[in-house]
Amino acid sequence: MSAKLFSPFTVKEVTFKNRIVMSPMCQYSSPSRDGHIGDWHKIHYATRAVGGVGLILLEATAVVPEGRISYNDLGIWSDEHVAGLKEISDLVHGNGARIGIQLAHAGRKAELEETIIAPSAIPFPDKKTPKAANAEDIRRIIEGFREGARRAKEAGFDVIEIHGAHGYLLNEFLSPVSNRREDEYGGSADARYRLLSEVIEAVKTVWDGPLFVRISANEYDPEGNSLEQYVDYARRMKAQGVDLVDCSSGGLVPAPIGMYPGYQVNLADQIRRQADIATGAVGLISSATHAEEILGNDRADLIFLGRELLRNPYWPYEAAKELRTTLERPVQYQRA
């Protein structure tokens, strides 16, 4: 029987050749303060395509300048970014992989000189105090995601992932820990979900391809959202047309996290079963056998690898060997 890890997965007529996904990981390597790609990005992402990854997700890419984590982040807030991003997507496609982009806004975790935005004027520990977003700020945020999605389509990306995790802006709006608003964007679970809901709807006006959302399904704070709340949010996402929930955790507040292989897989498993939506599992998954167990037991649909693909961009070839599966290699490498 062939390994499920190397079976194709199709979303909205877009097929990934296997279930291995490179998680979005910030490189902080834009060569200037304008959000443009550099040579590092071209080499970094294309190498993982050569290495056999099925879907590569570009790092968190800011939809507005003040939504960057740092001045070295990538951006998609200007039409001037499209050409460079298209170069990345062409390189990845030319080496046999699909490519997605994570659209993001850093919120109160932005480390910038200018004013930063959050749902409430509550700083992340040891960072500057943000301004509570007003109606115009919220309009600009939503428009930023919509325009980012339009540019992602122009640049040839196959997938869009909305970043709703790790304590960045959309996660801040979702959580009662960081959202103390008393208007239509806070005060209840329904109201806290409103910004993400409006971002999803805005993206859909210009994007009809595969749509993922990354969440922190465990906020590691007793006052934060429970897994049950995220199951409810995942059901809402599915109803809005989201295709897959990328189930991570943490980042909203500093917290000790007990890490072990697969420590976040249960989140993907529970959301998949209870919300009836496809999920991605991520978190210290480093062996092919472990990845195959997760997929074989229907605990997730895709395996997201982060640091493992930093350590070894050719991990899929080693995984195929471990699972006794023959994996097609670039012709230049076949004699190896």
Side-chain angles (χ1 to χ4, degrees), residues 300-330:
D301 299 275
L302 297 175
I303 301 297
F304 284 63
L305 300 179
R307 290 173 177 83
E308 188 62 26
L309 282 173
L310 296 182
R311 289 187 285 267
N312 181 6
Y314 302 102
W315 185 89
Y317 298 132
E318 294 186 2
K321 184 177 180 181
E322 183 179 333
L323 296 175
R324 300 182 181 181
T325 295
T326 301
L327 184 62
E328 183 180 352
R329 298 168 183 261

Side-chain angles (χ1 to χ4, degrees), residues 37-94:
I37 68 160
D39 289 344
W40 172 262
H41 302 97
K42 301 171 193 177
I43 296 167
H44 173 67
Y45 290 110
T47 299
R48 274 70 190 174
V50 170
V53 174
L55 171 64
I56 293 168
L57 288 176
L58 207 68
E59 62 202 79
T61 305
V63 297
V64 291
E66 67 273 19
R68 290 175 285 180
I69 303 167
S70 80
Y71 289 114
N72 296 115
D73 286 11
L74 291 185
I76 197 169
W77 65 79
S78 167
D79 289 344
E80 294 179 358
H81 292 124
V82 173
L85 293 169
K86 189 174 190 309
E87 190 172 357
I88 293 282
S89 70
D90 287 346
L91 281 168
V92 168
H93 287 147

Side-chain angles (χ1 to χ4, degrees), residues 28-336:
Y28 305 111
S29 297
S30 179
S32 63
R33 293 162 65 107
D34 57 10
H36 287 276
I37 68 160
D39 289 344
W40 172 262
H41 302 97
K42 301 171 193 177
I43 296 167
H44 173 67
Y45 290 110
T47 299
R48 274 70 190 174
V50 170
V53 174
L55 171 64
I56 293 168
L57 288 176
L58 207 68
E59 62 202 79
T61 305
V63 297
V64 291
E66 67 273 19
R68 290 175 285 180
I69 303 167
S70 80
Y71 289 114
N72 296 115
D73 286 11
L74 291 185
I76 197 169
W77 65 79
S78 167
D79 289 344
E80 294 179 358
H81 292 124
V82 173
L85 293 169
K86 189 174 190 309
E87 190 172 357
I88 293 282
S89 70
D90 287 346
L91 281 168
V92 168
H93 287 147
N95 286 286
R98 295 288 193 172
I99 185 166
I101 187 168
Q102 187 183 67
L103 301 182
H105 190 302
R108 68 179 186 166
K109 294 180 83 174
E111 298 185 5
L112 308 176
E113 296 168 2
E114 52 263 53
T115 300
I116 61 175
I117 302 295
S120 302
I122 303 171
F124 188 86
D126 298 324
K127 296 189 185 296
K128 66 190 290 185
T129 300
K131 184 189 88 166
N134 60 30
E136 175 56 25
D137 296 324
I138 289 173
R139 185 206 63 77
R140 176 174 162 79
I141 290 161
I142 294 168
E143 181 67 6
F145 276 96
R146 188 188 73 81
E147 285 293 282
R150 176 185 63 80
R151 295 182 183 111
K153 186 174 183 177
E154 290 181 14
F157 287 92
D158 302 298
V159 174
I160 284 176
E161 176 169 279
I162 296 169
H163 198 351
H166 300 161
Y168 298 118
L169 185 80
L170 296 178
N171 187 188
E172 293 164 17
F173 269 87
L174 288 173
S175 179
V177 174
S178 46
N179 184 347
R180 306 290 175 83
R181 301 174 72 95
E182 297 179 354
D183 62 0
E184 64 268 35
Y185 291 97
S188 69
D190 288 347
R192 294 196 308 273
Y193 181 73
R194 179 170 178 168
L195 181 58
L196 176 57
S197 175
E198 292 180 351
V199 165
I200 292 169
E201 293 303 319
V203 166
K204 285 168 51 185
T205 64
V206 296
W207 177 262
D208 57 4
L211 182 59
F212 297 179
V213 176
R214 173 164 268 201
I215 63 170
S216 283
N218 186 340
E219 295 181 352
Y220 301 106
D221 188 300
E223 297 182 4
N225 285 317
S226 64
L227 175 58
E228 289 72 24
Q229 183 60 67
Y230 274 107
V231 168
D232 174 64
Y233 284 154
R235 292 186 181 121
R236 298 176 193 224
M237 292 178 210
K238 181 180 179 181
Q240 288 187 269
V242 171
D243 299 294
L244 180 141
V245 178
D246 173 3
C247 299
S248 189
S249 71
L252 182 73
V253 294
I257 301 173
M259 295 184 181
Y260 49 86
Y263 72 102
Q264 296 172 150
V265 173
N266 181 59
L267 305 173
D269 187 2
Q270 292 300 319
I271 287 174
R272 186 179 189 273
R273 294 178 189 281
Q274 295 185 49
D276 191 26
I277 190 170
T279 60
V282 63
L284 292 186
I285 301 168
S286 58
S287 83
T289 304
H290 187 194
E292 187 69 8
E293 178 275 319
I294 293 165
L295 296 171
N297 284 318
D298 295 324
R299 301 170 72 196
D301 299 275
L302 297 175
I303 301 297
F304 284 63
L305 300 179
R307 290 173 177 83
E308 188 62 26
L309 282 173
L310 296 182
R311 289 187 285 267
N312 181 6
Y314 302 102
W315 185 89
Y317 298 132
E318 294 186 2
K321 184 177 180 181
E322 183 179 333
L323 296 175
R324 300 182 181 181
T325 295
T326 301
L327 184 62
E328 183 180 352
R329 298 168 183 261
V331 64
Q332 296 91 338
Y333 288 178
Q334 286 177 3
R335 60 182 169 181

